[in-house]
Amino acid sequence: MATPLTDQEKRKQISIRGIVGVENVAELKKGFNRHLHFTLVKDRNVATPRDYYFALAHTVRDHLVGRWIRTQQYYYEADPKRVYYLSLEFYMGRALQNTMINLGLQNSCDEAIYQLGLDMEDLEEMEEDAGLGNGGLGRLAACFLDSMATLGLAAYGYGIRYEYGIFNQKIKDGWQVEEADDWLRYGNPWEKARPEFMLPVHFYGRVEEEEGKEPKWVNTQVVLAMPYDTPIPGYMNNTVNTMRLWSARAPNDFNLRDFNVGDYIQAVLDRNLAENISRVLYPNDNFFEGKELRLKQEYFVVAATLQDVIRRFKTSKRNCSGPLSFDSFPDKVAIQLNDTHPAMAIPELMRIFVDIEKLDWDAAWNITKKTFAYTNHTVLPEALERWPLELMEKLLPRHLQIIYKINQTHLDYVASLFPDDMDRIRRMSLIEEGDGKRVNMAHLCIVGSHKVNGVAEIHSDIIKRDVFRDFSELEPEKFQNKTNGITPRRWLLLCNPGLADLIAEAIGEEYVKDLTELQKLNDLVDDDAFIRDVAKVKQNNKLKFAQYLEKEYNVDVNPASMFDVHVKRIHEYKRQLLNCLHVITMYNRIKRSPTKPFVPRTVIIGGKAAPGYHMAKMIIKLITTVADVVNNDPVIGHKLKVIYLENYRVSLAEKVIPATDLSEQISTAGTEASGTGNMKFMLNGALTIGTMDGANVEMAEEAGEENLFIFGMRVEDVAEMDKEGYDALQYYENLPELKQAINQIKSGYFSPKQPEMFSDIINMLFYHDRFKVFADYESYVKCQEKVSALYKDPREWTRVVIKNIAASGKFSSDRTITDYATEIWGVEPTDLKIPPPSEPREALEETARALRKI
C-alpha cells in the first residue's frame, strides 16, 4: 500500500499555492539570508525564531513592493473611479501566510524555509495579530479589502493605526482579565510610514461670523495625522491596493506657542495628550459609549482621510491637465461609511466644499450626497450613536452649525410632504430633543448618503420596516441589501489547506475566485470516496486542534467527540447562556442515566466581553464554573467536556473553525444583523444549529432548511411575544429540565463556596431578559437531540456537510463587493491583470488604456 502524502508533498502538488521553481526557491533563500544579515543584523548563531519570522516577512514583502508601486502607477494612468472604505476598525489578523498565498509564493517559501532547516509553522506563529477591531464589523472590513484587490478595484481602506488593539484576554480563576495588546512592540514589517503626507486636523476653537462673510473656524488646536500604509494584495492578479491608517502626532510647537511660556519640559510631556487619539481601540462591540476621546478618533480619521481624498482628486491625471471642477467629484470618488462611526465625514466634506473651496451650499450638498453611502450594522438601540450636542459644540463647533443647516433643509422637505405630521418631523430630525439634546448619527448618514444598506436580507427588511421606516417611506429607492461575505482566500485556502486541495482535485481551482463553482460538489454528494476524504480532512483538523489545546491549555479532549463550537463576542443577544443551559441539561442527563448511550461532545465556547459589560463577564464566569464541575466529574468521563477558549481572535479562529463539527448561531431572531462566523463554519464543513436570524436565513435558503438545524422563534413570533409580554416564569415552571438547571445555578451547585455568585444572571433571566432565553430553550434542546442522532451516522452527516459546502458560494465577499461595486459605487470589477514589474512601462499604459475603454 502506498504511503499517504505528507502535508508538504500535498501542498506541492496543488498549484493554488503556486508552482515551485528552483530559481524562485534559491532567490527566496538569498533574500532571507540578506535580510537576516542587513535588516536584522544577525547571523544564524544568534538569531531567534522572531528574527527568522522578520527575515521571511521582509523577503515576502520584497515581492509585494514592485507590484504595489506598479498598481499605483496604473491607477494614475487609467484614472478609474476610486472607492474609499472608511472604518474605525480593520480586524486584519496576520499578514504573512495571506500574502504568500495571494502572491502564489506559498509553496516556494515552504520549500525555501525547509531547505534552511526551519519550520514554517513555527515562524508563522511568531507574527502578532493586527487586532484593530472588535469582531464582525472590523473583520468584514478586512475581508472586503481582500476582495476589492482581487476584483481589481481602485480601492483604499482608511482607518486608525491604534497603538493598542483589542485587549488580550486571560482567564484567571474563571474570570476574564484584560491585558494591553502591545502589538507593535517588535515592529511591524508590513507597514510603511509616510511622513511626507502628514496632515493637520483641527479641534475645539470657535466660529467667527462677520456680516456678509463666510463663517470662519478659528483658534483651533491642531493634531497631525501621520499615515502608515499597508499593502493589500489581490489573489494572483498583481494588484496591490493600500490600507492607510492614521497615527496622531503633536505638532512641534504644541503647547509652546502661547500660554505655556517657561515650562518647556511640561509642554513636551503634554504632547502625549494629542497623541492619545490613536493610542487605543475602544473595546465595545454593539455598544455606544459617548466619550470625548472616541468622538475625537471618529473626526480624526475622517478629517485626515478627506484631505487625502481631495488631494488625490486634484492631482489626478485628468485634473492636472484641465481646469478643476468639483462637479466630477462623485464620478471619481465613492466613499462607503462602515456604520455611523465615520459619519462626521458628511459635515466635514461640506465644510471643505463650502468654507475652503467656496462652493455654494446646494451644489456642495448635491455632490456630498452623491459621494457617500452608508452601511448599517445593527438594530440594537444601545449600539446606535447619539452624540451629546454640548460635546459636539465644544469639540467641533463649525460641524455642529453645518449639521443644523443640513437638518433644517431636511425637515423643511419633510414638512412640505407631511405638513401636519409634527410627530413624524420630530422622529426624523437629526437632533433628538429630550433629556440633553443629541445628534442622531444614523439619521445624519441616511440624509447625507445616496444609498443605505443592511447586511443580510432579514436585517435590511427590519431596517426598512422598523428602525428607519420613516426614511424608507420618504426615499424607498435609497435602501438596499448587501448580504455580508467572507474571503475564501483566508477562510479556506489559508486556514484549511486539506479541504481546499481536496476541492481543487474534485472540481478544479476556479472556485478560489468564483466561489459559486462549489455547486459542482453536489455531484459528489453520494460519492463514497469523496465522502470518505471529506470526513478524513475534518478528522485530521480535529486531531491537530486537539493537539493544540493540549499544548496550549493542557486539556485532554476526545477527538472522536463532536466538536460543538460557539465562538463570537460575549453578548446577551448572542445567547451564550442558552448554550450553557444546554450543557447543564446534558450533564444532568448523563448523571441521571450514566449507562445510557450518549453521543460524546466537546463544547468549545470562546469570545471576549467588553471590559465594562458586567453581565457578559458574569456569563464567562458561569461557563468556566460549569466547565470545572463537568470536566472533573468521574461519572461524566469523556462523554462531555466544556472548554473556554481563551483570547479568541482571528489567528485562533483560523485554527478552530476547520476543526468544528457543529456551529452555534443562536441569537434571538431579529438581533444579529448578519453574522459572518456562520459563513466561515459552513465553508469549512461544519453544520449549523441556529435561529432564523441574520444570514442564517439565507444559508438555509441556499442549502435547504433540512440541511441546517433550525430552531426557535421567528422574527414574527418575537414581535408577538413582545406585544403579549414575555413571562419567563411560565417556562421555568413548565419545563422540568430547565427548572433543574436554573435551580442548580441559583443554589450554588456549581459555586458551592459562593452560592449567590450568579444572582445577577438569574435575576436577569426571570425579570428583564430582552432576549428571551427560556422561550427558545425547549426547541433548542430538542434540536440538539436531532444533531446527536445525525452525528451517530457519519456517512449521512458528511453528506449533509458536502451539501452545505456546495451551497456556500453566495457567501464569498467577492460576491458582496461585486454587488456594492455595481449597485452602489458605480464601478466594474475587472479581470485585467496588471503587468508585473518585470514588464516595461508601455505594457502598463496599454492595460490602463484597456481599462479606460471598459
Side-chain angles (χ1 to χ4, degrees), residues 219-236:
N219 282 71
T220 56
Q221 290 181 25
V222 175
V223 176
L224 300 176
M226 161 93 84
Y228 285 79
D229 288 354
T230 299
I232 305 291
Y235 180 73
M236 302 289 282

Side-chain angles (χ1 to χ4, degrees), residues 39-315:
T39 310
L40 297 154
V41 196
K42 290 278 182 93
D43 64 25
R44 292 288 299 256
N45 298 311
V46 292
T48 64
R50 179 167 283 106
D51 293 322
Y52 292 137
Y53 157 69
F54 274 102
L56 178 58
H58 280 107
T59 306
V60 171
R61 180 174 163 255
D62 289 345
H63 288 257
L64 274 173
V65 169
R67 293 173 169 97
W68 197 6
I69 291 168
R70 262 291 159 102
T71 301
Q72 304 315 310
Q73 290 171 342
Y74 171 64
Y75 291 156
Y76 182 78
E77 290 297 334
D79 195 24
K81 182 172 184 177
R82 275 139 164 121
V83 173
Y84 296 98
Y85 196 82
L86 263 63
S87 182
L88 267 280
E89 302 184 21
F90 287 94
Y91 203 172
M92 302 296 285
R94 292 171 176 164
L96 175 60
Q97 199 184 351
N98 183 248
T99 305
M100 294 190 298
I101 286 171
N102 281 11
L103 259 41
L105 282 176
Q106 191 172 17
N107 282 333
S108 296
C109 286
D110 276 353
E111 183 59 34
I113 291 301
Y114 174 73
Q115 288 182 18
L116 288 162
L118 298 167
D119 183 281
M120 178 62 93
E121 244 175 67
D122 291 349
L123 300 194
E124 286 167 351
E125 283 299 310
M126 295 308 301
E127 184 174 359
E128 299 274 358
D129 279 45
L132 307 185
N134 276 284
L137 174 149
R139 183 54 234 175
L140 184 80
C143 283
F144 279 4
L145 293 183
D146 181 88
S147 286
M148 289 188 286
T150 296
L151 293 169
L153 302 181
Y156 303 76
Y158 272 95
I160 294 176
R161 180 183 179 263
Y162 300 107
E163 201 175 312
Y164 295 90
I166 186 67
F167 62 86
N168 284 315
Q169 178 194 57
K170 292 274 189 284
I171 302 293
K172 291 189 177 151
D173 192 26
W175 296 96
Q176 167 176 298
V177 177
E178 299 89 24
E179 288 181 358
D181 167 42
D182 191 6
W183 72 290
L184 292 168
R185 182 174 39 217
Y186 299 105
N188 174 6
W190 304 106
E191 69 182 7
K192 176 73 184 83
R194 299 280 189 201
E196 67 273 24
F197 291 120
M198 191 139 60
L199 295 166
V201 175
H202 297 260
F203 293 100
Y204 303 110
R206 58 191 173 80
V207 182
E208 248 178 23
E209 304 197 65
E210 291 178 37
E211 266 307 308
K213 279 190 178 173
E214 283 299 327
K216 270 175 90 170
W217 186 18
V218 296
N219 282 71
T220 56
Q221 290 181 25
V222 175
V223 176
L224 300 176
M226 161 93 84
Y228 285 79
D229 288 354
T230 299
I232 305 291
Y235 180 73
M236 302 289 282
N237 65 349
N238 293 331
T239 295
V240 181
N241 283 343
T242 302
M243 174 176 68
R244 177 162 284 182
L245 302 181
W246 301 101
S247 181
R249 294 279 185 277
N252 286 331
D253 61 359
F254 186 78
N255 269 12
L256 287 164
R257 258 175 319 191
D258 7 67
F259 58 91
N260 217 326
V261 183
D263 201 346
Y264 163 74
I265 295 291
Q266 193 54 47
V268 173
L269 297 183
D270 285 346
R271 293 168 63 84
N272 277 322
L273 301 174
E275 294 173 357
N276 277 338
I277 291 176
S278 56
R279 194 81 66 203
V280 60
L281 167 75
Y282 272 83
N284 301 317
D285 189 72
N286 276 297
F287 182 77
F288 170 61
E289 186 177 1
K291 294 279 196 290
E292 181 171 354
L293 180 62
R294 172 66 173 193
L295 183 55
K296 275 186 178 166
Q297 289 181 339
E298 293 184 351
Y299 178 66
F300 173 74
V301 65
V302 147
T305 299
L306 286 176
Q307 289 179 74
D308 220 28
V309 168
I310 284 169
R311 173 192 57 76
R312 200 175 284 120
F313 172 76
K314 285 180 171 180
T315 57

Side-chain angles (χ1 to χ4, degrees), residues 576 580 605 618-627 642 644:
Q576 283 90 358
C580 193
I605 302 176
M618 288 309 304
I619 290 167
I620 292 175
K621 178 61 175 169
L622 176 62
I623 294 163
T624 55
T625 307
V626 169
V642 182
Y644 198 90

Side-chain angles (χ1 to χ4, degrees), residues 817-837:
I817 289 299
T818 300
D819 290 350
Y820 275 97
T822 55
E823 295 164 25
I824 296 180
W825 302 331
V827 293
E828 282 295 328
T830 170
D831 284 337
L832 285 179
K833 202 168 176 176
I834 297 175

Side-chain angles (χ1 to χ4, degrees), residues 575 668-669 712-732 734-735 765-766 769-779:
R575 297 201 297 189
T668 312
M713 296 181 289
R714 310 298 204 252
V715 168
E716 307 74 45
D717 305 321
V718 175
E720 188 59 36
M721 187 172 283
D722 281 330
K723 220 161 57 192
E724 291 173 13
Y726 164 61
D727 179 13
L729 200 64
Q730 84 179 51
Y731 295 98
Y732 169 80
N734 292 334
L735 301 167
L765 286 170
F766 278 109
D769 178 8
R770 296 161 57 203
F771 305 107
K772 308 176 177 61
V773 170
F774 290 2
D776 275 346
Y777 168 85
E778 185 180 20
S779 172

